Amino acid sequence: MTSSVHPVDERLPAGKLTALGLQHVLVMYAGAVAVPLIVGRALKLSPEQVAMLISADLFCCGIVTLIQALGATQWFGIRLPVMMGVTFASVAPMVAMANANPGAPGAQLIFGAIIGAGVISILIAPMVSRMLRFFPPVVTGTIIAVIGISLMRIGINWIFGNPVGPTAPNIVDPAHLKWLADVTSPGSALPNTPKGLSILPTVPNPKYADLTGVGIAALVLVSILLIAKYAKGFIANISVLLGIVVGAMAAAALGLMNFDKVSKAAWVDVVLPFQFGLPVFDPVLILTMTLVMIVVMIESTGMFLALGEMTERQVGQADLARGLRTDGLGTLIGGIFNTFPYTSFSQNVGLVAVTGVRSRFVCVAGGLILIVLGVLPKMAALVESLPTVVLGGAGLVMFGMVAATGIRILAGVDFKANRFNALIVAISIGIGMIPLIAPNFKQWMPHGLHPLIESGILLASISAVALNLFFNGAKEDKVAAIQAARQAEAH
């Protein structure tokens, strides 16, 4: 007698559930911890605060995964095998906010924008589920390619050193700093230093692009390539994570890793809300993050449709709205618990296709494992103590794969019969590159607009949607969206 339980609702034995859930966690782990590391360091937070962001991120990944896979009331959860993680699409605007407002004030602005965008996303989820026609593969492929290209700058700076800060190509001459401190010390006859006055870096920094760091990054990259080529199945799927482990071992052997913070960190701690103070709600920053969330939810829509096909479960309009509402709810929870916007992780959708295991309870097990990892501060402190050169080698792969995913989606776009598609891609990528190539392009524009136009991803998104509407109109093509999502399974 055949079972009446659909494979998606099948409850596997506890041992198998745990093993398969851990597999999902390992596949997404490197991508999940990258965002708090990037944003925490852009905010110039202390190592302990960055470790706390990592713990909060893993904890919220688990909570939101449970809501998405298990379902919560009739409003939330698509009830498919989905793992939720922080979206890379939100990184560029958050880094721009962090650079403009470092420290706790910047964190309050970022979390305020995330909470605001989460609330709006919950409200507009049913409408976004009907907006697929505005985001055909020519638009989503372009946006994802620009996300990858924008993030590559972060990965490259991890290897060689950041363009500003302690590993900049030039540093401020210590003699100049001492002179300024002396002449402006209390009791000096000179007036106070004007606000905003700073000394330019003029002395070459010997730590920039030092060959030891570059060598470790190269070792990580080569390890990932060898594992991806010669390993099979699950081991090949976690090549990035294993490459980071190899790099960490090399860095530790060379004395480049400091484990003091790991030994001082507690074994278990609770993740608490509003660790940086109450959030600050800036309307322009909320609008910026909401535009990011619309792009993210459109990508999720394609992913859910592809997953529905893969698992042979019909995904209707109401299911899509529930899944997208959970993206918004996850983002709201993220803002409250000091972390970031959430979306379905497509590499885990790819894992469903690879393993053939369609049970959503595997992802429930993965969510529980993430919650446990989120309350282990020692684990977060260990990740935070990784030298950036180790992450740089992996970043080239992680962020490059995002760009490659966009290119793969664009490979399915008809450029022969429709010459306008090439124009849409060309112009949108060009516009998306403006903040990267000419970051001061906005200096004569109204200051309130700056957060909105600092992100090349947002500029490329607006351009691609507008140009596609102008040239191609708005024709709904669910088949193309599903094919594009299948292409994105490696992202």
Side-chain angles (χ1 to χ4, degrees), residues 117-199:
V119 171
I120 294 169
S121 300
I122 292 170
L123 297 175
I124 64 173
M127 186 178 76
V128 174
S129 68
R130 296 182 180 87
M131 283 173 62
L132 205 55
R133 62 170 65 94
F134 299 110
F135 290 83
V138 69
V139 172
T140 53
T142 302
I143 293 169
I144 293 170
V146 170
I147 290 170
I149 296 167
S150 300
L151 291 170
M152 286 298 280
R153 178 176 58 175
I154 292 167
I156 291 166
N157 284 336
W158 273 348
I159 295 172
F160 300 113
N162 292 316
V164 291
T167 57
N170 287 319
I171 57 172
V172 175
D173 190 327
H176 295 173
L177 281 177
K178 183 178 183 312
W179 175 85
L180 184 63
D182 288 345
V183 299
T184 57
S185 60
S188 168
L190 294 174
N192 290 334
T193 309
K195 190 180 178 187
L197 176 74
S198 59
I199 298 178

Side-chain angles (χ1 to χ4, degrees), residues 28 103-104 127 219 282 410 481:
M28 70 175 286
M127 186 178 76
L219 172 67
D282 181 298
L410 289 172

Side-chain angles (χ1 to χ4, degrees), residues 38-58:
I38 295 166
V39 179
R41 286 169 180 170
L43 280 166
K44 299 181 175 60
L45 300 178
S46 69
E48 292 75 19
Q49 288 173 316
V50 175
M52 187 268 289
L53 288 184
I54 294 167
S55 288
D57 174 33
L58 293 171

